């Protein structure tokens, strides 16, 4: 069950799932599984344990589950986004109203619908993550405006010039070298170890923006 839940956190920057979920424990009591996004640089990697210096400065160990997967990100352009695409957009409210994108991830078609919705996100204080289908894309004076839909709701988010736009790309465990920048959607059951079934690593000068 936990492994299935971990698989839902594939690139959690775009999945935006709630911070905690409950699963049924064998004792019939609810066990809380917390979701932690680990962002930082690789310190070491051995025996399926990835040691990461987090952006907060602490060094943490993440145990990688059996069958774990790795990917990198490749640069894309907001002009690549078209109606029908499924995207994950981290954003902040703008003073003038509406939301402004901090980054955009264009999902591959196989992940369309994963984690659909709009949730609080921890990239920056007060940020949100919206995983949704693009309904319209319009060029404006403040950047590209994307109208996205999720669960019957609609939201328009402006993607300013310079906001990172990426898509997923292949990677291998050999890319987990010291100093590599990673994003890891991890889970923790009670006081147990951080575990994850997915790592996103920066390669070729492109780092995970989520």
């Amino acid at each position: 069950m936990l492994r299935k839940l971990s698989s839902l956190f594939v690139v959690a920057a775009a999945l935006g799932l709630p911070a905690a979920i409950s699963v049924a424990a064998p004792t019939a009591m609810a066990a809380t599984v917390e979701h932690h996004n680990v962002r930082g640089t690789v310190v070491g990697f051995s025996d399926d344990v990835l040691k990461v210096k987090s952006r907060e400065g602490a060094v943490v160990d993440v145990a990688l589950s059996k069958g774990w997967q790795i990917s990198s990100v490749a640069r894309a352009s907001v002009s690549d986004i078209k109606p029908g695409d499924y995207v994950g957009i981290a954003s902040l409210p703008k003073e003038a109203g509406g939301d402004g994108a901090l980054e955009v991830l264009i999902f591959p078609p196989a992940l369309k619908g994963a984690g659909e919705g709009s949730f609080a996100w921890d990239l920056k204080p007060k940020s949100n993550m919206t995983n949704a289908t693009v309904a319209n894309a319009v060029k404006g004076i403040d950047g590209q405006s994307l109208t996205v839909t999720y669960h019957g709701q609609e939201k328009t988010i402006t993607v300013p010039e310079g906001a990172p736009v990426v898509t997923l790309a292949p990677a291998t465990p050999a890319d987990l070298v010291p100093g590599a920048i990673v994003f890891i959607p991890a889970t923790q059951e009670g006081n147990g170890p951080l575990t994850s079934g997915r790592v996103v690593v920066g390669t070729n000068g492109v780092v995970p923006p989520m």
Side-chain angles (χ1 to χ4, degrees):
M1 180 64 175
L2 291 178
R3 189 162 181 269
K4 289 182 180 178
L5 290 170
S6 295
S7 70
L8 292 178
F9 296 135
V10 173
V11 192
L15 297 188
L17 294 177
I21 51 182
S22 293
V23 298
T27 60
M29 297 181 64
T32 298
V33 179
E34 294 186 346
H35 173 214
H36 301 273
N37 290 327
V38 178
R39 302 175 175 89
T41 56
V42 174
V43 175
F45 174 51
S46 63
D47 299 325
D48 284 340
V49 174
L50 188 59
K51 189 178 293 291
V52 178
K53 184 175 182 180
S54 71
R55 69 175 181 178
E56 292 79 19
V59 176
V60 298
D61 289 343
V62 181
L64 301 178
S65 58
K66 184 178 179 181
W68 67 280
Q69 297 179 324
I70 185 170
S71 62
S72 64
V73 288
R75 287 189 182 92
S77 170
V78 68
S79 62
D80 296 328
I81 302 171
K82 59 188 183 300
D85 284 348
Y86 192 67
V87 296
I89 308 175
S91 65
L92 280 173
K94 299 191 298 183
E95 290 186 6
D99 283 7
L102 298 170
E103 58 85 23
V104 181
L105 172 66
I106 305 172
F107 275 116
L111 289 178
K112 187 168 185 175
E116 183 178 2
S118 190
F119 310 93
W121 195 239
D122 61 352
L123 183 58
K124 288 188 176 182
K126 300 182 180 180
S127 63
N128 290 287
M129 174 60 70
T130 301
N131 302 321
T133 300
V134 176
N136 196 14
V138 178
K139 182 70 175 179
I141 57 175
D142 294 329
Q144 192 90 358
S145 290
L146 301 178
T147 300
V148 296
T149 60
Y150 56 94
H151 297 316
Q153 300 183 58
E154 184 176 280
K155 176 187 285 191
T156 298
I157 303 174
T158 300
V159 184
E161 292 290 337
V165 180
V166 298
T167 189
L168 297 182
T172 73
D175 293 311
L176 296 175
V177 296
I181 298 175
V182 292
F183 171 84
I184 308 170
T187 57
Q188 184 178 32
E189 183 179 5
N191 294 321
L194 288 170
T195 63
S196 181
R198 166 70 66 169
V199 177
V200 184
V201 60
T203 59
N204 302 314
V206 186
V207 300
M210 64 283 293

